[in-house]
Amino acid sequence: MTRTVVTQSYGSSIKGVLGKKLGMTQVFDSNNKMIPVTVVSVESCVVTSIRTPEKDGYSAVQLGFGAIDPKKVSKPLAGHYAKSGVTPRRSVAELRTLSAADYTVGQEIGASTFAPGDMVDATGTSTGKGTAGVMKRHGFGGLGSSHGVDRKHRMPGSIGACSTPGRVFKGMRMMGRMGNEKVTTQNLLVQGVDLERNLLLIKGSVPGTDGGLVFIRSAAKKAIVETVKAGM
């Protein structure tokens, strides 16, 4: 007897690429509707290493991006790149995927990795805004500014409790560094692909500043449905 089992696979067809955010612009679709897009350059992205379950315990592909002066690379990294047969890269990232065997060391990865209509996740470093108060950082409303109120309009207010527990809880929303953190925006649409210039046009905003490094990979929440036949 043969039965069909439908499973959700999150890693079988996961693709990814490292790129540089160039900025935002706008394009028009077939209905002359304006679409805001973020332009990401993915040229000079190369496979620097392949992880296998037999050797490393998991399946993944290591990607390198951005040219760098070989003199600025440490000797261990220089040996790693020399073993792979690629020139040193400024940034590296690992892409967890079950189809790592489809890649080869030294393979160039470009904009053809994705097609218009694909859903992707974009990971980058958010714009650093320095030290910010609670109103800018967390959206606090502030204190009143009517007659009789001291100059504490932008203060956070009370942060502690009474004698029990007699301390400030960890994670209390207070002033501090804002931005400059790893941020992932999920379920973005690839609006267009420019194969000649190795550009991805992604609908909406992508984390990070212009010129910053971004990691574009297949959307994690868009599972791929596979049909497996199992004998009984």
Side-chain angles (χ1 to χ4, degrees):
M1 179 180 177
T2 302
R3 63 185 179 91
T4 301
V5 181
V6 179
T7 60
Q8 295 284 343
S9 174
Y10 289 89
S12 59
S13 298
I14 290 180
K15 301 174 292 184
V17 66
L18 283 172
K20 180 174 68 174
K21 178 180 175 181
L22 299 182
M24 293 194 69
T25 183
Q26 59 190 24
V27 295
F28 294 88
D29 60 7
S30 58
N31 298 323
N32 285 334
K33 181 180 179 181
M34 186 183 70
I35 307 295
V37 295
T38 301
V39 183
V40 179
S41 174
V42 296
E43 61 180 355
S44 72
C45 184
V46 65
V47 177
T48 58
S49 182
I50 297 177
R51 310 300 187 190
T52 59
E54 295 77 16
K55 182 178 179 180
D56 305 290
Y58 63 98
S59 179
V61 177
Q62 185 186 80
L63 304 176
F65 177 80
I68 187 175
D69 189 351
K71 297 180 181 179
K72 298 181 179 180
V73 179
S74 62
K75 288 186 177 180
L77 283 178
H80 172 69
Y81 290 121
K83 182 179 179 181
S84 302
V86 299
T87 57
R89 304 291 166 158
R90 184 177 299 273
S91 305
V92 294
E94 279 194 358
L95 174 69
R96 291 290 188 101
T97 176
L98 298 180
S99 57
D102 298 338
Y103 296 85
T104 58
V105 176
Q107 176 183 351
E108 293 284 344
I109 306 295
S112 59
T113 303
F114 297 102
D118 290 348
M119 302 298 293
V120 297
D121 294 341
T123 301
T125 302
S126 61
T127 304
K129 300 181 181 299
T131 302
V134 293
M135 294 183 68
K136 180 177 180 180
R137 190 183 185 197
H138 303 294
F140 281 21
L143 302 181
S145 57
S146 61
H147 180 70
V149 180
D150 294 335
R151 293 184 179 179
K152 298 182 179 180
H153 312 311
R154 301 182 68 89
M155 294 294 179
S158 178
I159 62 173
C162 297
S163 59
T164 302
R167 61 184 176 86
V168 177
F169 289 105
K170 290 184 178 180
M172 178 68 66
R173 294 184 296 173
M174 301 174 65
M175 64 168 291
R177 190 188 72 179
M178 182 178 180
N180 195 27
E181 297 177 342
K182 182 180 178 181
V183 178
T184 299
T185 303
Q186 295 183 319
N187 300 332
L188 296 174
L189 175 67
V190 177
Q191 185 69 29
V193 177
D194 189 338
L195 298 179
E196 295 183 359
R197 293 181 290 181
N198 267 331
L199 300 178
L200 292 177
L201 304 180
I202 301 176
K203 182 179 179 181
S205 61
V206 171
T209 59
D210 293 348
L213 180 71
V214 291
F215 189 18
I216 309 297
R217 58 186 183 273
S218 301
K221 291 183 178 178
K222 300 297 180 181
I224 297 163
V225 180
E226 295 181 341
T227 302
V228 181
K229 291 185 178 180
M232 292 185 59

